[in-house]
Amino acid sequence: MEATQKTKKKDDKKTIKCVVWDLDNTVWDGVLLEDENVILKSEVVDIIKELDERGILQSIASKNNHEDAMRKLEEFGIAEYFLYPQINWNSKGSSVEQIAKLINIGIDTLAFVDDQPFEREEVAHTHPQVLCLDALNLEGMLELDVMIPRFITDDSKQRRKMYMADIERNQVEEEFVGPTDEFLASLNMTFTIAPATVEDLKRAEELTQRTNQLNTTGYTYNYDELDEFRKSENHLLLIAGLEDKYGTYGKIGLALVETGEEVWKIKLLLLSCRVMSRGVGSILINHILQSAKEQGKRLQAEFLQTDRNRMMYITYKFADFKEVDKQDDLIIFENDLTRVQPFPDYVNVQIG
């Protein structure tokens, strides 16, 4: 396989990023409003824990009193597994939609588990992209292709805890009084950029598969293809990480640069949506700009519009890229490298 020839669009294979659970007669036997002595389903707990190990997030959409249901989840020792639980009297469809919004993932990456056919049908009608599963027939759920990630990386295993740290950060940010830059400085962020190693490749593949919004082309590459790029003398494969005083965000950025004799071309640039509000979106691209300038190369970038990545088009525009060519849906940008911006003061950038 010639690394220089490999470009492809994101495929249509669906993967589940979050499973949303009902509670009554789903996570536990019984109806909490009728009898507080409900019985936890051990087989469901086993599924919840395995999904968590695989890096699949989980939440709740349940028609119940919020305080009572959360108290019962705490009593059972499983409350920590659920992000943004929607325990209220809203429709399940609206709860599922709210969960997708709060986690900031596509609703087509959600699965919904409920024992009531009416509830599943309501969600399926409102959001036909959501995979609806019968809580009374969960045998084989863990064997579904959409529930099996190709790799389980260190970042996968820590994904829920990373999101929980995000929730804490966001709460602190809401209460913070002062300029945004002061809040960002208070996080004590460290942003790292380095050539990808063999140990990074599983996470790099996962990033190309999972990242939709902050992705300039939607190209996906598998482990072997990325390894070819890593070893290629004609490419730079860069991976970025972020951490702050609340913990690590993990590896959150990837860039693939084709390094020609006269022109460098960014084939892929992506960032996890979890860092969108952290003011670090320009760091990776500015590093590439600076590197190309130091090497005396022209710098171009490919952009292929999808239904979700408008933000990355704006990112290129803000970074002074100009459209120089268009081939069907593929836009070719170029930067004249006359105004390379410094890294922001509120983050410590380490180049590997």
Side-chain angles (χ1 to χ4, degrees), residues 155-302:
D155 280 32
S156 301
K157 294 177 181 179
Q158 297 295 317
R159 183 165 291 124
R160 170 175 54 88
K161 293 180 180 178
M162 292 178 186
Y163 272 86
M164 291 173 69
D166 280 343
I167 292 172
E168 183 178 0
R169 292 182 188 99
N170 293 338
Q171 290 174 340
V172 172
E173 183 175 11
E174 288 179 4
E175 298 169 359
F176 187 87
V177 178
T180 299
D181 282 8
E182 285 187 14
F183 169 73
L184 294 173
S186 75
L187 294 175
N188 299 329
M189 290 185 290
T190 297
F191 192 98
T192 59
I193 304 172
T197 66
V198 172
E199 290 75 17
D200 294 322
L201 295 181
K202 291 180 180 180
R203 174 57 178 161
E205 177 184 313
E206 185 180 48
L207 280 168
T208 73
Q209 297 286 343
R210 293 178 62 92
T211 307
N212 297 298
Q213 296 181 53
L214 304 184
N215 186 323
T216 55
T217 56
Y219 295 159
T220 63
Y221 300 100
N222 65 34
Y223 181 99
D224 293 332
E225 293 165 344
L226 290 165
D227 198 30
E228 288 292 322
F229 289 128
R230 182 186 67 83
K231 294 183 290 188
S232 169
E233 295 181 355
N234 301 315
H235 291 83
L236 287 174
L237 183 64
L238 301 173
I239 195 159
L242 182 66
E243 61 181 44
D244 65 16
K245 67 181 182 181
Y246 293 99
T248 181
Y249 294 77
K251 298 297 173 63
I252 45 76
L254 188 71
L256 174 63
V257 184
E258 188 177 82
T259 54
E261 290 187 7
E262 297 182 1
V263 180
W264 283 12
K265 182 176 288 185
I266 303 173
K267 304 289 287 185
L268 174 68
L269 179 73
L270 62 84
L271 287 170
S272 168
C273 60
R274 291 189 300 110
V275 302
M276 184 183 300
S277 64
R278 293 294 166 254
V280 298
S282 64
I283 293 177
L284 184 55
I285 195 169
N286 284 343
H287 169 66
I288 297 170
L289 289 168
Q290 187 62 46
S291 298
K293 185 174 184 178
E294 290 173 356
Q295 295 294 322
K297 311 294 184 181
R298 292 167 52 202
L299 181 65
Q300 295 184 343
E302 295 183 359

Side-chain angles (χ1 to χ4, degrees), residues 18-289:
C18 179
V19 175
V20 180
W21 297 89
D22 174 43
L23 291 177
D24 291 333
N25 292 315
T26 298
V27 171
W28 53 58
D29 281 320
V31 177
L32 187 61
L33 284 173
E34 298 175 357
D35 184 356
E36 66 176 18
N37 296 312
V38 294
I39 300 172
L40 187 63
K41 291 186 176 183
S42 60
E43 66 275 15
V44 172
V45 175
D46 290 341
I47 293 173
I48 289 170
K49 291 181 177 180
E50 176 59 28
L51 292 173
D52 187 66
E53 280 290 309
R54 295 179 184 183
I56 296 174
L57 303 173
Q58 295 169 90
S59 188
I60 293 170
S62 173
K63 292 180 179 177
N64 256 302
N65 288 325
H66 185 274
E67 293 79 9
D68 294 340
M70 289 304 301
R71 185 163 51 248
K72 185 58 66 172
L73 290 168
E74 293 281 358
E75 178 185 319
F76 285 140
I78 59 172
E80 65 181 1
Y81 287 98
F82 305 109
L83 302 175
Y84 302 108
Q86 301 299 298
I87 304 173
N88 48 50
W89 302 105
N90 298 336
S91 71
K92 297 291 181 73
S94 63
S95 291
V96 166
E97 182 176 358
Q98 180 70 357
I99 290 164
K101 180 180 178 181
L102 289 169
I103 297 179
N104 198 14
I105 56 177
I107 200 161
D108 59 333
T109 65
L110 266 64
F112 172 64
V113 185
D114 199 296
D115 67 300
Q116 294 293 316
F118 169 80
E119 301 289 10
R120 298 196 302 272
E121 289 169 9
E122 187 266 324
V123 171
H125 176 75
T126 309
H127 305 293
Q129 316 97 311
V130 174
L131 173 65
C132 295
L133 300 174
D134 185 352
L136 304 181
N137 184 24
L138 294 181
E139 185 177 355
M141 176 180 172
L142 291 174
E143 283 69 55
L144 294 174
D145 286 346
V146 292
M147 299 289 182
I148 304 175
R150 176 167 155 82
F151 297 117
I152 299 176
T153 64
D154 290 340
D155 280 32
S156 301
K157 294 177 181 179
Q158 297 295 317
R159 183 165 291 124
R160 170 175 54 88
K161 293 180 180 178
M162 292 178 186
Y163 272 86
M164 291 173 69
D166 280 343
I167 292 172
E168 183 178 0
R169 292 182 188 99
N170 293 338
Q171 290 174 340
V172 172
E173 183 175 11
E174 288 179 4
E175 298 169 359
F176 187 87
V177 178
T180 299
D181 282 8
E182 285 187 14
F183 169 73
L184 294 173
S186 75
L187 294 175
N188 299 329
M189 290 185 290
T190 297
F191 192 98
T192 59
I193 304 172
T197 66
V198 172
E199 290 75 17
D200 294 322
L201 295 181
K202 291 180 180 180
R203 174 57 178 161
E205 177 184 313
E206 185 180 48
L207 280 168
T208 73
Q209 297 286 343
R210 293 178 62 92
T211 307
N212 297 298
Q213 296 181 53
L214 304 184
N215 186 323
T216 55
T217 56
Y219 295 159
T220 63
Y221 300 100
N222 65 34
Y223 181 99
D224 293 332
E225 293 165 344
L226 290 165
D227 198 30
E228 288 292 322
F229 289 128
R230 182 186 67 83
K231 294 183 290 188
S232 169
E233 295 181 355
N234 301 315
H235 291 83
L236 287 174
L237 183 64
L238 301 173
I239 195 159
L242 182 66
E243 61 181 44
D244 65 16
K245 67 181 182 181
Y246 293 99
T248 181
Y249 294 77
K251 298 297 173 63
I252 45 76
L254 188 71
L256 174 63
V257 184
E258 188 177 82
T259 54
E261 290 187 7
E262 297 182 1
V263 180
W264 283 12
K265 182 176 288 185
I266 303 173
K267 304 289 287 185
L268 174 68
L269 179 73
L270 62 84
L271 287 170
S272 168
C273 60
R274 291 189 300 110
V275 302
M276 184 183 300
S277 64
R278 293 294 166 254
V280 298
S282 64
I283 293 177
L284 184 55
I285 195 169
N286 284 343
H287 169 66
I288 297 170
L289 289 168

